[in-house]
Amino acid sequence: MTKPAHSRTRRTSFRWVIVALLFVITVFNYVDRTAISYAIQTIAREFELGDRAVGLVLGAFGAGYFVTTLLGGVAVDRWGAGRVLLIAAVVWSSAMAGAGIATGVVSLFLARVLLGVAEGPNFPAMNRAVDVWLNPDERATALAYSLVAVPLALAISGPIVTALLATIGWRYLFLLLGLVVLAWLPFWAWLYRDDPAASAHVSARELGHIRAGAAARNTAAVAQVFAPADWRFILTNRTLLANAWAFFVFGYFLFFFMTWLPDYLARVYRLSLREVGLFSFLPWFVAAVLLWAFGPLSDALLRRTGRLRIARSHLIMTTQLGAALAVIPVMFVRDVDIVIIFISIAVGLSMGANSSYFATIIDVAPKRSGTALGVMDAGFAASGFLAPTITGYIVSLTGGFNGAFFLLAALAASSAIVVFLFHHPDDSVRLES
């Protein structure tokens, strides 16, 4: 009888296959959620929507996302990332199909809410998977490699989605994207296990590496009793709360530019749909490069200094402050090329430290990384509703975008201050099993 791979002495690196699967589904995740921002002008004309209604439709995703990002985290800790993400992907494929056959603003709004509900568990599942599959010294790197899917998806979605819109229209676009998600499901079901020891693809050497230095816990025992003390820790720990506020601000940046950047470029600079797709590429490409670089940088700083404050907090603080400063010139410059450069810097810096938010969760609350991430992601989900909706109201009331950009700068500055004052992961008591 052939022994399981983890009982052999051969060297494997299968944990990075898991990271690749997380990367792929996150690409699909963000292409799906952002496609509507390129189609919204056509949809608005077809359904006769004003700016406020457009803002509500764009924000509908965040409303649904808020519901399950927290519940999804609890579900991941209870049943494991494998099962939860499998079910979630099926539902969001259905939601994309629902958007494609929408007959009016109500059905489109509900389809977007359902998409948010379905995609809510994605990042809690990612955090749980990285927690159990990666050595602590590799987690920020693994998260960066997974999360770089977000800006990469947003970078490629502009040219690809605008080309598809011009070719097949917005309805068939949504139907096609829903089908693509289904192609990922068999690979996830075949390759992912909630405990690396249960995988036939992991050698004993790799399993030892994964578990070296990790908190003593049974990774297979995902169905643990959730004590009230766990909730109290997650909801009162100053580092986790500061982390959540900064992540909310990051989310506000992300959803603002993800939903309104195409419309902003089209309105203010009179760009065509194809030009909007091309101009939208640069901010997300810069974000992808910085996120890719800052994850390994965070782990390198941790190895060199042994201090989470330097490896996590300082990275978050400086990037948020830089994003605040980069937004300011956008309100005063009128050259589209220069504006895109400053927007690219703002978006890139805002997203650059993304893996540090997730790594901080695992650093401080490894026992409940899924649930703690769900709490943080609930604020992110709120930003997904608030950023598009508030922007719609500001544009409707003022006739321009400067008020929205001013709010972005103020929020980013506030998050840098909060992290400076309260984000001290080295001093936080760990929530461990």
Side-chain angles (χ1 to χ4, degrees):
M1 181 181 293
T2 303
K3 295 182 179 180
H6 59 73
S7 68
R8 304 183 193 132
T9 58
R10 66 184 179 87
R11 185 181 184 89
T12 61
S13 298
F14 189 72
R15 64 195 182 279
W16 297 108
V17 174
I18 300 302
V19 173
L21 286 171
L22 295 169
F23 169 87
V24 171
I25 193 58
T26 304
V27 168
F28 294 162
N29 185 309
Y30 267 81
V31 170
D32 286 357
R33 73 172 68 178
T34 196
I36 195 170
S37 64
Y38 296 97
I40 194 63
Q41 287 186 322
T42 303
I43 294 172
R45 286 193 296 270
E46 184 173 331
F47 293 159
E48 299 180 348
L49 306 180
D51 288 330
R52 294 187 183 186
V54 166
L56 287 171
V57 169
L58 293 176
F61 172 89
Y65 195 79
F66 182 84
V67 174
T68 54
T69 188
L70 175 57
L71 297 179
V74 175
V76 164
D77 283 339
R78 177 67 176 82
W79 291 293
R83 188 186 310 175
V84 172
L85 197 51
L86 195 71
I87 295 170
V90 172
V91 176
W92 99 48
S93 176
S94 303
M96 290 299 294
I101 61 175
T103 57
V105 65
V106 174
S107 55
L108 180 62
F109 182 89
L110 292 176
R112 293 292 296 174
V113 170
L114 181 61
L115 181 65
V117 168
E119 292 194 0
N122 188 85
F123 290 107
M126 176 190 293
N127 233 39
R128 180 72 191 187
V130 168
D131 183 21
V132 300
W133 273 88
L134 275 296
N135 179 280
D137 288 341
E138 298 173 328
R139 286 171 181 165
T141 299
L143 286 165
Y145 290 171
S146 300
L147 292 168
V148 75
V150 175
L152 181 63
L154 295 172
I156 64 175
S157 67
I160 293 175
V161 169
T162 53
L164 287 172
L165 278 170
T167 304
I168 62 176
W170 66 271
R171 292 186 182 276
Y172 284 109
L173 169 68
F174 291 158
L175 292 171
L176 175 63
L177 293 177
L179 288 174
V180 169
V181 177
L182 297 179
W184 173 87
L185 295 177
F187 294 97
W188 181 252
W190 172 39
L191 298 173
Y192 185 81
R193 298 294 180 270
D194 286 312
D195 183 359
S199 173
H201 305 284
V202 178
S203 67
R205 290 179 64 184
E206 184 177 16
L207 186 63
H209 173 76
I210 290 170
R211 292 181 170 174
R217 67 184 187 279
N218 181 5
T219 56
V222 295
Q224 304 168 24
V225 177
F226 204 106
D230 294 345
W231 277 112
R232 188 160 53 249
F233 179 90
I234 291 171
L235 297 176
T236 61
N237 181 271
R238 292 195 303 173
T239 295
L240 293 180
L241 292 175
N243 204 59
W245 174 250
F247 196 66
F248 167 83
V249 174
F250 151 72
Y252 198 98
F253 264 70
L254 176 64
F255 282 104
F256 171 83
F257 286 108
M258 189 174 73
T259 57
W260 278 100
L261 179 59
D263 199 48
Y264 164 75
L265 293 174
R267 288 192 193 199
V268 177
Y269 296 102
R270 300 292 189 269
L271 301 184
S272 68
L273 181 62
R274 189 172 295 276
E275 289 173 327
V276 165
L278 294 174
F279 271 90
S280 297
F281 172 83
L282 184 60
W284 307 116
F285 175 76
V286 172
V289 172
L290 293 183
L291 201 160
W292 185 277
F294 286 174
L297 173 62
S298 178
D299 279 340
L301 289 172
L302 182 59
R303 287 192 295 269
R304 179 180 293 272
T305 67
R307 294 189 60 196
L308 294 168
R309 171 74 170 172
I310 293 175
R312 314 294 195 223
S313 313
H314 287 183
L315 207 56
I316 295 171
M317 200 187 322
T318 53
T319 52
Q320 287 286 291
L321 182 59
L325 295 174
V327 165
I328 295 172
V330 177
M331 293 183 278
F332 305 103
V333 176
R334 289 294 174 263
D335 186 308
V336 65
D337 295 319
I338 297 176
V339 164
I340 283 294
I341 290 173
F342 278 111
I343 287 177
S344 299
I345 294 171
V347 171
L349 288 175
S350 176
M351 293 197 70
N354 199 3
S355 63
S356 293
Y357 299 112
F358 288 75
T360 296
I361 294 289
I362 300 176
D363 295 331
V364 176
K367 177 184 176 183
R368 295 298 180 188
S369 59
T371 302
L373 190 279
V375 171
M376 182 180 78
D377 222 20
F380 177 80
S383 73
F385 175 75
L386 292 173
T389 305
I390 291 174
T391 303
Y393 273 86
I394 291 174
V395 172
S396 177
L397 291 173
T398 67
F401 287 84
N402 277 1
F405 283 115
F406 178 82
L407 180 57
L408 281 174
L411 286 171
S414 77
S415 69
I417 294 170
V418 167
V419 170
F420 174 74
L421 294 175
F422 302 112
H423 200 276
H424 296 276
D426 298 288
D427 303 330
S428 291
V429 179
R430 300 299 189 269
L431 179 61
E432 299 172 334
S433 55

